[in-house]
Amino acid sequence: MQALSSRPALAGHVLRKIKPSVPVSQSPSRLNFSTSRQVQAKNQIYSSFVLVTIPCNFARTRDADRQPSVRNLDQFHTYQLLSSSSRTPLLTLWTTSWCSTCRVVAPLLQELVESGVGEAEGGVGYCTVDYDAPDVLAAGLGLTYMINSIPTLLSFDAGEAQVQTKITDGRQLADRRFLEEWIRNEARRHGNRGGGGPTGGASPNVEFHCDDIELDWNFSSGFDFIHIRFMTGSIKDWPRLFRQAYESLNPGGWIEVMDAVTSHLLCDDGTLQPDSDIVKWTNFLVEASTKLGCSLDSALYYEEQMKEAGFKDIKKVEYKWPMNTWPKDPYYKELGNWVHSIVQDGLEGMTFLPFTNGLGWTEDEVNAFLPKVKKSHKNRRMHGYWPVYAFYCQKPEE
C-alpha cells in the first residue's frame, strides 16, 4: 500500500538548496524564541533533475551540476507555487539558446544566489526560463509577462510578476554590484508584493490585471483613459482592438496610442544608403512580420482605423528618433544615443524569431547578418531616423 501525503506532487521537480551564510549554531532560531516569522532564509535554485547541496563559498557550479532552464508551463507553475509557499520571491532570468549575453549573465546570477546574497533580507528562489523552448512559446509565457527583450530579469512575488523592477539593460545585468542590490531589494518583499525594498506595499487604489488584449474585453466597468504604447508587431487585428477600446471607454474618456514605424528608416538629406545593411534589416523585418500576421508598419494605419472605430477629432503628433548620435543638436544627439543603445542591445531579440519563422533563415545565416547590421547602424555618416507617432482623441459625450 502506498502512503498518502498532503504535499503536492512535484512531478520530479526538486530544489537546489544553498547553505546559509550564517552558521547553524549562530542562526537566529537557535539564539532566541519568537512566534514571528524569521527574516533569515536560505536561497533556493530550482531544478528539474537533481538535488545538489552546495557550500556557501562554492563560487561556480560544475558543468555536471549546471541546472537546466524551465522549458514548459508545468515547471514554471511548480516553481511559482514553491516560492509562494515559502514567502520568498522567485527570480527568473529569461534566456534563449542564441543569446550570447545570457551566457554571461546566467552564471553570474547563479553565483550570487549560491553565495547567499539576499538571505539576510529574507531569501530568494531562482531559475532560468528557456524563452524559445517550444512549450514555453506555445503557452505564451513571454506574452503573458511582457517579455520583449532577451535577456530579461523578472521577479515574482506571491505569484505576481513585479514588472516595475524588471531589468532588461544588458549593462545592468552584467554589473555584479547592481545585481547584488537588486536581489537584496527583491528579497525584502516576503510575499507582500509591492515595489520591494524596506517599505514595500502597493497603492491601495491601484489594481493590475494581466490579460490578452486581443481577446474579448469583459471588464466590469468602463475606462476614462486607455493608453497603448509600442505594441506594433504584437497585434494581429488592430481594427478590432480599436473597436473594443471605443466600446470600453466611458463617454468623454480619452485614448492615446504611441508607436514607432520600425519598417520605415527615413532620411531628410539623402545620406541614408538604400543598400546599407541597416536598411536591408528594416525591409526584411517588415516582410517577416507581415508574413507572421503582425506587421511592424501598423502605425501607418492607426488614424484611419481609429476613425472607423468611431473616434473623432484625432490629433497626430510625429517625433523623429535618430538611429544613432549623428545629430548636432544636443537633445537629438542624446535621443539618438538612447535609440542606438536600445537597438544594439535588442537586435538579436528583434531579429531571430521573425527571420527564422517568417523568412526561413537558418540560425547561422542570422548570426552572419547581425554583425553587418550593427556596424551599419553605427555609421554616423548616414542621417537616418525612425518616425514615431502619437495619436490621441476623446470619445464623444453621449
Side-chain angles (χ1 to χ4, degrees):
M1 178 180 294
Q2 184 177 6
L4 298 179
S5 172
S6 59
R7 292 186 177 183
L10 299 183
H13 303 288
V14 295
L15 303 180
R16 183 172 191 162
K17 296 185 178 180
I18 313 300
K19 289 184 177 179
S21 55
V22 179
V24 174
S25 60
Q26 300 177 19
S27 64
S29 59
R30 294 294 183 93
L31 296 177
N32 61 351
F33 174 81
S34 173
T35 56
S36 61
R37 177 180 175 270
Q38 300 294 338
V39 174
Q40 179 82 26
K42 297 179 182 179
N43 288 344
Q44 296 171 331
I45 294 181
Y46 296 103
S47 164
S48 301
F49 299 114
V50 296
L51 174 63
V52 181
T53 301
I54 303 175
C56 60
N57 60 352
F58 193 90
R60 291 183 181 272
T61 59
R62 304 185 307 273
D63 288 340
D65 295 335
R66 194 173 301 281
Q67 302 305 303
S69 297
V70 168
R71 298 183 60 84
N72 60 63
L73 190 61
D74 287 341
Q75 285 179 319
F76 188 72
H77 284 168
T78 296
Y79 301 159
Q80 281 189 315
L81 175 64
L82 289 169
S83 65
S84 297
S85 62
S86 62
R87 293 178 63 84
T88 56
L90 174 64
L91 312 184
T92 61
L93 179 66
W94 298 69
T95 69
T96 61
S97 57
W98 45 260
C99 173
S100 57
T101 306
C102 302
R103 300 187 189 104
V104 176
V105 176
L108 174 57
L109 271 169
Q110 185 162 313
E111 176 186 338
L112 293 175
V113 175
E114 288 174 346
S115 67
V117 174
E119 288 183 349
E121 290 76 18
V124 297
Y126 170 73
C127 70
T128 59
V129 182
D130 192 346
Y131 185 87
D132 56 355
D135 289 343
V136 172
L137 288 173
L141 276 179
L143 177 64
T144 300
Y145 298 113
M146 297 175 283
I147 305 299
N148 49 28
S149 179
I150 296 295
T152 289
L153 184 58
L154 177 62
S155 172
F156 289 81
D157 194 45
E160 293 185 3
Q162 305 301 304
V163 295
Q164 68 272 38
T165 57
K166 180 171 68 174
I167 306 299
T168 59
D169 189 320
R171 289 164 294 190
Q172 292 179 327
L173 287 168
D175 187 329
R176 174 183 290 270
R177 291 186 178 180
F178 175 86
L179 289 177
E180 287 176 349
E181 186 60 27
W182 186 87
I183 292 172
R184 292 188 179 101
N185 281 336
E186 295 303 311
R188 295 186 180 105
R189 293 182 183 277
H190 309 313
N192 295 321
R193 305 178 180 92
T199 57
S203 179
N205 65 336
V206 176
E207 292 182 4
F208 294 93
H209 300 270
C210 188
D211 208 341
D212 188 339
I213 196 174
E214 293 198 273
L215 298 179
D216 292 337
W217 291 21
N218 297 315
F219 299 103
S220 58
S221 60
F223 297 97
D224 295 318
F225 177 63
I226 294 177
H227 176 76
I228 302 172
R229 180 171 60 181
F230 293 115
M231 294 293 288
T232 186
S234 303
I235 306 298
K236 291 187 176 181
D237 193 344
W238 279 100
R240 181 173 184 267
L241 187 150
F242 288 130
R243 289 195 300 270
Q244 293 206 98
Y246 184 86
E247 294 167 359
S248 299
L249 271 177
N250 294 323
W254 290 84
I255 183 173
E256 181 183 44
V257 186
M258 188 174 186
D259 231 327
V261 186
T262 313
S263 59
H264 286 56
L265 187 58
L266 305 181
C267 178
D268 295 335
D269 59 8
T271 58
L272 187 63
Q273 302 167 9
D275 61 344
S276 62
D277 289 304
I278 186 65
V279 173
K280 291 179 182 178
W281 176 74
T282 59
N283 293 338
F284 283 136
L285 201 58
V286 70
E287 178 186 352
S289 63
T290 301
K291 288 183 177 180
L292 293 172
C294 296
S295 179
L296 287 167
D297 63 357
S298 58
L300 297 174
Y301 312 103
Y302 290 168
E303 186 172 11
E304 186 60 32
Q305 292 167 349
M306 292 171 71
K307 289 179 181 178
E308 293 174 353
F311 292 105
K312 298 179 180 179
D313 300 325
I314 301 170
K315 305 295 188 300
K316 177 183 177 181
V317 181
E318 182 176 350
Y319 303 92
K320 295 181 179 181
W321 283 14
M323 72 179 201
N324 55 39
T325 58
W326 64 260
K328 294 181 179 179
D329 181 275
Y331 171 82
Y332 284 101
K333 182 178 289 292
E334 182 180 3
L335 179 59
N337 185 45
W338 281 104
V339 174
H340 178 263
S341 297
I342 291 170
V343 174
Q344 289 281 322
D345 291 345
L347 193 62
E348 288 86 355
M350 292 185 282
T351 305
F352 262 90
L353 191 147
F355 276 47
T356 55
N357 289 13
L359 301 180
W361 287 33
T362 66
E363 188 173 322
D364 289 340
E365 288 173 329
V366 177
N367 280 325
F369 181 52
L370 287 181
K372 301 177 183 177
V373 177
K374 289 187 175 183
K375 181 179 179 180
S376 179
H377 182 221
K378 294 177 181 178
N379 188 348
R380 297 179 71 250
R381 294 191 298 271
M382 294 193 297
H383 300 166
Y385 65 87
W386 279 285
V388 177
Y389 299 133
F391 305 91
Y392 65 95
C393 62
Q394 191 174 19
K395 181 176 180 178
E397 297 278 0
E398 294 181 354

